[in-house]
PDB file of all heavy atoms in Angstrom:
ATOM      1  N   ALA G  38     -57.474  19.527  36.284  1.00  0.00           N
ATOM      2  CA  ALA G  38     -58.113  20.818  36.000  1.00  0.00           C
ATOM      3  C   ALA G  38     -57.185  21.959  36.415  1.00  0.00           C
ATOM      4  O   ALA G  38     -56.529  21.894  37.454  1.00  0.00           O
ATOM      5  CB  ALA G  38     -59.429  20.924  36.751  1.00  0.00           C
ATOM      6  N   ALA G  39     -57.143  22.993  35.596  1.00  0.00           N
ATOM      7  CA  ALA G  39     -56.373  24.190  35.935  1.00  0.00           C
ATOM      8  C   ALA G  39     -57.127  24.951  37.021  1.00  0.00           C
ATOM      9  O   ALA G  39     -58.337  25.143  36.933  1.00  0.00           O
ATOM     10  CB  ALA G  39     -56.177  25.067  34.700  1.00  0.00           C
ATOM     11  N   GLN G  40     -56.411  25.358  38.035  1.00  0.00           N
ATOM     12  CA  GLN G  40     -57.006  26.111  39.147  1.00  0.00           C
ATOM     13  C   GLN G  40     -56.709  27.590  38.931  1.00  0.00           C
ATOM     14  O   GLN G  40     -55.818  28.146  39.545  1.00  0.00           O
ATOM     15  CB  GLN G  40     -56.428  25.634  40.483  1.00  0.00           C
ATOM     16  CG  GLN G  40     -56.594  24.159  40.747  1.00  0.00           C
ATOM     17  CD  GLN G  40     -58.053  23.748  40.827  1.00  0.00           C
ATOM     18  OE1 GLN G  40     -58.851  24.392  41.495  1.00  0.00           O
ATOM     19  NE2 GLN G  40     -58.395  22.680  40.130  1.00  0.00           N
ATOM     20  N   GLY G  41     -57.403  28.192  38.037  1.00  0.00           N
ATOM     21  CA  GLY G  41     -57.171  29.595  37.730  1.00  0.00           C
ATOM     22  C   GLY G  41     -57.016  29.795  36.239  1.00  0.00           C
ATOM     23  O   GLY G  41     -57.354  28.934  35.445  1.00  0.00           O
ATOM     24  N   GLN G  42     -56.472  30.957  35.885  1.00  0.00           N
ATOM     25  CA  GLN G  42     -56.332  31.315  34.478  1.00  0.00           C
ATOM     26  C   GLN G  42     -54.867  31.550  34.145  1.00  0.00           C
ATOM     27  O   GLN G  42     -54.059  31.818  35.026  1.00  0.00           O
ATOM     28  CB  GLN G  42     -57.133  32.592  34.212  1.00  0.00           C
ATOM     29  CG  GLN G  42     -58.572  32.513  34.650  1.00  0.00           C
ATOM     30  CD  GLN G  42     -59.517  32.630  33.489  1.00  0.00           C
ATOM     31  OE1 GLN G  42     -59.220  33.274  32.509  1.00  0.00           O
ATOM     32  NE2 GLN G  42     -60.656  31.982  33.594  1.00  0.00           N
ATOM     33  N   GLY G  43     -54.560  31.447  32.882  1.00  0.00           N
ATOM     34  CA  GLY G  43     -53.235  31.798  32.409  1.00  0.00           C
ATOM     35  C   GLY G  43     -52.279  30.617  32.347  1.00  0.00           C
ATOM     36  O   GLY G  43     -52.595  29.496  32.737  1.00  0.00           O
ATOM     37  N   VAL G  44     -51.099  30.943  31.857  1.00  0.00           N
ATOM     38  CA  VAL G  44     -50.071  29.934  31.627  1.00  0.00           C
ATOM     39  C   VAL G  44     -49.654  29.264  32.932  1.00  0.00           C
ATOM     40  O   VAL G  44     -49.485  28.041  32.988  1.00  0.00           O
ATOM     41  CB  VAL G  44     -48.845  30.565  30.920  1.00  0.00           C
ATOM     42  CG1 VAL G  44     -47.701  29.577  30.826  1.00  0.00           C
ATOM     43  CG2 VAL G  44     -49.237  31.066  29.534  1.00  0.00           C
ATOM     44  N   ALA G  45     -49.499  30.029  33.990  1.00  0.00           N
ATOM     45  CA  ALA G  45     -49.058  29.455  35.273  1.00  0.00           C
ATOM     46  C   ALA G  45     -50.036  28.395  35.768  1.00  0.00           C
ATOM     47  O   ALA G  45     -49.623  27.349  36.282  1.00  0.00           O
ATOM     48  CB  ALA G  45     -48.884  30.550  36.311  1.00  0.00           C
ATOM     49  N   ALA G  46     -51.323  28.631  35.607  1.00  0.00           N
ATOM     50  CA  ALA G  46     -52.331  27.659  36.043  1.00  0.00           C
ATOM     51  C   ALA G  46     -52.263  26.376  35.220  1.00  0.00           C
ATOM     52  O   ALA G  46     -52.402  25.278  35.750  1.00  0.00           O
ATOM     53  CB  ALA G  46     -53.727  28.272  35.961  1.00  0.00           C
ATOM     54  N   VAL G  47     -52.019  26.530  33.921  1.00  0.00           N
ATOM     55  CA  VAL G  47     -51.898  25.351  33.051  1.00  0.00           C
ATOM     56  C   VAL G  47     -50.630  24.567  33.402  1.00  0.00           C
ATOM     57  O   VAL G  47     -50.662  23.337  33.477  1.00  0.00           O
ATOM     58  CB  VAL G  47     -51.910  25.756  31.560  1.00  0.00           C
ATOM     59  CG1 VAL G  47     -51.614  24.555  30.672  1.00  0.00           C
ATOM     60  CG2 VAL G  47     -53.253  26.377  31.187  1.00  0.00           C
ATOM     61  N   VAL G  48     -49.546  25.276  33.659  1.00  0.00           N
ATOM     62  CA  VAL G  48     -48.289  24.603  34.039  1.00  0.00           C
ATOM     63  C   VAL G  48     -48.491  23.823  35.342  1.00  0.00           C
ATOM     64  O   VAL G  48     -48.050  22.678  35.467  1.00  0.00           O
ATOM     65  CB  VAL G  48     -47.134  25.617  34.166  1.00  0.00           C
ATOM     66  CG1 VAL G  48     -45.912  24.988  34.813  1.00  0.00           C
ATOM     67  CG2 VAL G  48     -46.788  26.176  32.795  1.00  0.00           C
ATOM     68  N   GLU G  49     -49.168  24.420  36.309  1.00  0.00           N
ATOM     69  CA  GLU G  49     -49.462  23.710  37.564  1.00  0.00           C
ATOM     70  C   GLU G  49     -50.299  22.467  37.308  1.00  0.00           C
ATOM     71  O   GLU G  49     -50.071  21.417  37.911  1.00  0.00           O
ATOM     72  CB  GLU G  49     -50.208  24.620  38.538  1.00  0.00           C
ATOM     73  CG  GLU G  49     -49.307  25.463  39.398  1.00  0.00           C
ATOM     74  CD  GLU G  49     -50.106  26.207  40.470  1.00  0.00           C
ATOM     75  OE1 GLU G  49     -50.974  25.581  41.127  1.00  0.00           O
ATOM     76  OE2 GLU G  49     -49.842  27.400  40.647  1.00  0.00           O
ATOM     77  N   ALA G  50     -51.278  22.566  36.421  1.00  0.00           N
ATOM     78  CA  ALA G  50     -52.130  21.417  36.098  1.00  0.00           C
ATOM     79  C   ALA G  50     -51.325  20.320  35.405  1.00  0.00           C
ATOM     80  O   ALA G  50     -51.515  19.133  35.692  1.00  0.00           O
ATOM     81  CB  ALA G  50     -53.306  21.862  35.225  1.00  0.00           C
ATOM     82  N   VAL G  51     -50.415  20.702  34.507  1.00  0.00           N
ATOM     83  CA  VAL G  51     -49.550  19.716  33.843  1.00  0.00           C
ATOM     84  C   VAL G  51     -48.667  19.019  34.881  1.00  0.00           C
ATOM     85  O   VAL G  51     -48.514  17.798  34.864  1.00  0.00           O
ATOM     86  CB  VAL G  51     -48.684  20.375  32.740  1.00  0.00           C
ATOM     87  CG1 VAL G  51     -47.584  19.433  32.266  1.00  0.00           C
ATOM     88  CG2 VAL G  51     -49.550  20.803  31.568  1.00  0.00           C
ATOM     89  N   ASN G  52     -48.109  19.785  35.796  1.00  0.00           N
ATOM     90  CA  ASN G  52     -47.273  19.204  36.847  1.00  0.00           C
ATOM     91  C   ASN G  52     -48.066  18.234  37.710  1.00  0.00           C
ATOM     92  O   ASN G  52     -47.581  17.145  38.049  1.00  0.00           O
ATOM     93  CB  ASN G  52     -46.649  20.295  37.713  1.00  0.00           C
ATOM     94  CG  ASN G  52     -45.536  21.037  37.014  1.00  0.00           C
ATOM     95  OD1 ASN G  52     -44.983  20.563  36.030  1.00  0.00           O
ATOM     96  ND2 ASN G  52     -45.210  22.216  37.510  1.00  0.00           N
ATOM     97  N   ALA G  53     -49.290  18.605  38.090  1.00  0.00           N
ATOM     98  CA  ALA G  53     -50.120  17.743  38.928  1.00  0.00           C
ATOM     99  C   ALA G  53     -50.472  16.443  38.202  1.00  0.00           C
ATOM    100  O   ALA G  53     -50.395  15.357  38.779  1.00  0.00           O
ATOM    101  CB  ALA G  53     -51.387  18.482  39.350  1.00  0.00           C
ATOM    102  N   ALA G  54     -50.848  16.551  36.929  1.00  0.00           N
ATOM    103  CA  ALA G  54     -51.183  15.356  36.151  1.00  0.00           C
ATOM    104  C   ALA G  54     -49.959  14.471  35.969  1.00  0.00           C
ATOM    105  O   ALA G  54     -50.048  13.240  36.079  1.00  0.00           O
ATOM    106  CB  ALA G  54     -51.766  15.754  34.786  1.00  0.00           C
ATOM    107  N   SER G  55     -48.802  15.081  35.723  1.00  0.00           N
ATOM    108  CA  SER G  55     -47.562  14.313  35.556  1.00  0.00           C
ATOM    109  C   SER G  55     -47.187  13.582  36.845  1.00  0.00           C
ATOM    110  O   SER G  55     -46.793  12.410  36.811  1.00  0.00           O
ATOM    111  CB  SER G  55     -46.406  15.237  35.147  1.00  0.00           C
ATOM    112  OG  SER G  55     -46.670  15.836  33.905  1.00  0.00           O
ATOM    113  N   ALA G  56     -47.330  14.247  37.966  1.00  0.00           N
ATOM    114  CA  ALA G  56     -47.004  13.629  39.254  1.00  0.00           C
ATOM    115  C   ALA G  56     -47.913  12.433  39.522  1.00  0.00           C
ATOM    116  O   ALA G  56     -47.441  11.369  39.938  1.00  0.00           O
ATOM    117  CB  ALA G  56     -47.115  14.655  40.375  1.00  0.00           C
ATOM    118  N   ARG G  57     -49.208  12.583  39.267  1.00  0.00           N
ATOM    119  CA  ARG G  57     -50.135  11.458  39.473  1.00  0.00           C
ATOM    120  C   ARG G  57     -49.812  10.304  38.541  1.00  0.00           C
ATOM    121  O   ARG G  57     -49.859   9.141  38.935  1.00  0.00           O
ATOM    122  CB  ARG G  57     -51.581  11.908  39.281  1.00  0.00           C
ATOM    123  CG  ARG G  57     -52.168  12.576  40.497  1.00  0.00           C
ATOM    124  CD  ARG G  57     -53.684  12.625  40.474  1.00  0.00           C
ATOM    125  NE  ARG G  57     -54.264  13.019  39.207  1.00  0.00           N
ATOM    126  CZ  ARG G  57     -54.465  14.275  38.815  1.00  0.00           C
ATOM    127  NH1 ARG G  57     -54.101  15.276  39.583  1.00  0.00           N
ATOM    128  NH2 ARG G  57     -55.021  14.539  37.657  1.00  0.00           N
ATOM    129  N   LEU G  58     -49.480  10.626  37.299  1.00  0.00           N
ATOM    130  CA  LEU G  58     -49.143   9.583  36.334  1.00  0.00           C
ATOM    131  C   LEU G  58     -47.927   8.793  36.812  1.00  0.00           C
ATOM    132  O   LEU G  58     -47.934   7.564  36.818  1.00  0.00           O
ATOM    133  CB  LEU G  58     -48.875  10.224  34.966  1.00  0.00           C
ATOM    134  CG  LEU G  58     -48.744   9.264  33.802  1.00  0.00           C
ATOM    135  CD1 LEU G  58     -49.291   9.912  32.546  1.00  0.00           C
ATOM    136  CD2 LEU G  58     -47.315   8.883  33.576  1.00  0.00           C
ATOM    137  N   LEU G  59     -46.888   9.497  37.240  1.00  0.00           N
ATOM    138  CA  LEU G  59     -45.675   8.819  37.700  1.00  0.00           C
ATOM    139  C   LEU G  59     -45.907   8.060  39.006  1.00  0.00           C
ATOM    140  O   LEU G  59     -45.404   6.949  39.172  1.00  0.00           O
ATOM    141  CB  LEU G  59     -44.536   9.822  37.856  1.00  0.00           C
ATOM    142  CG  LEU G  59     -44.028  10.410  36.541  1.00  0.00           C
ATOM    143  CD1 LEU G  59     -43.020  11.515  36.811  1.00  0.00           C
ATOM    144  CD2 LEU G  59     -43.431   9.330  35.652  1.00  0.00           C
ATOM    145  N   GLU G  60     -46.680   8.641  39.915  1.00  0.00           N
ATOM    146  CA  GLU G  60     -46.991   7.953  41.175  1.00  0.00           C
ATOM    147  C   GLU G  60     -47.735   6.649  40.929  1.00  0.00           C
ATOM    148  O   GLU G  60     -47.548   5.675  41.644  1.00  0.00           O
ATOM    149  CB  GLU G  60     -47.814   8.859  42.091  1.00  0.00           C
ATOM    150  CG  GLU G  60     -47.030   9.991  42.692  1.00  0.00           C
ATOM    151  CD  GLU G  60     -47.913  11.039  43.369  1.00  0.00           C
ATOM    152  OE1 GLU G  60     -49.151  10.875  43.412  1.00  0.00           O
ATOM    153  OE2 GLU G  60     -47.341  12.028  43.857  1.00  0.00           O
ATOM    154  N   GLY G  61     -48.568   6.629  39.913  1.00  0.00           N
ATOM    155  CA  GLY G  61     -49.304   5.412  39.584  1.00  0.00           C
ATOM    156  C   GLY G  61     -48.491   4.399  38.814  1.00  0.00           C
ATOM    157  O   GLY G  61     -48.779   3.203  38.847  1.00  0.00           O
ATOM    158  N   THR G  62     -47.467   4.853  38.123  1.00  0.00           N
ATOM    159  CA  THR G  62     -46.668   3.982  37.265  1.00  0.00           C
ATOM    160  C   THR G  62     -45.464   3.384  37.982  1.00  0.00           C
ATOM    161  O   THR G  62     -45.154   2.208  37.803  1.00  0.00           O
ATOM    162  CB  THR G  62     -46.170   4.776  36.035  1.00  0.00           C
ATOM    163  OG1 THR G  62     -47.294   5.286  35.334  1.00  0.00           O
ATOM    164  CG2 THR G  62     -45.349   3.909  35.104  1.00  0.00           C
ATOM    165  N   LEU G  63     -44.791   4.178  38.790  1.00  0.00           N
ATOM    166  CA  LEU G  63     -43.532   3.726  39.392  1.00  0.00           C
ATOM    167  C   LEU G  63     -43.656   2.456  40.228  1.00  0.00           C
ATOM    168  O   LEU G  63     -42.787   1.587  40.120  1.00  0.00           O
ATOM    169  CB  LEU G  63     -42.886   4.859  40.184  1.00  0.00           C
ATOM    170  CG  LEU G  63     -42.333   5.999  39.321  1.00  0.00           C
ATOM    171  CD1 LEU G  63     -41.750   7.098  40.196  1.00  0.00           C
ATOM    172  CD2 LEU G  63     -41.305   5.499  38.326  1.00  0.00           C
TER     173      LEU G  63
END
Side-chain angles (χ1 to χ4, degrees):
Q40 303 298 313
Q42 307 244 330
V44 173
V47 173
V48 169
E49 273 188 46
V51 168
N52 287 342
S55 297
R57 278 198 316 274
L58 190 147
L59 292 173
E60 288 168 2
T62 301
L63 290 178

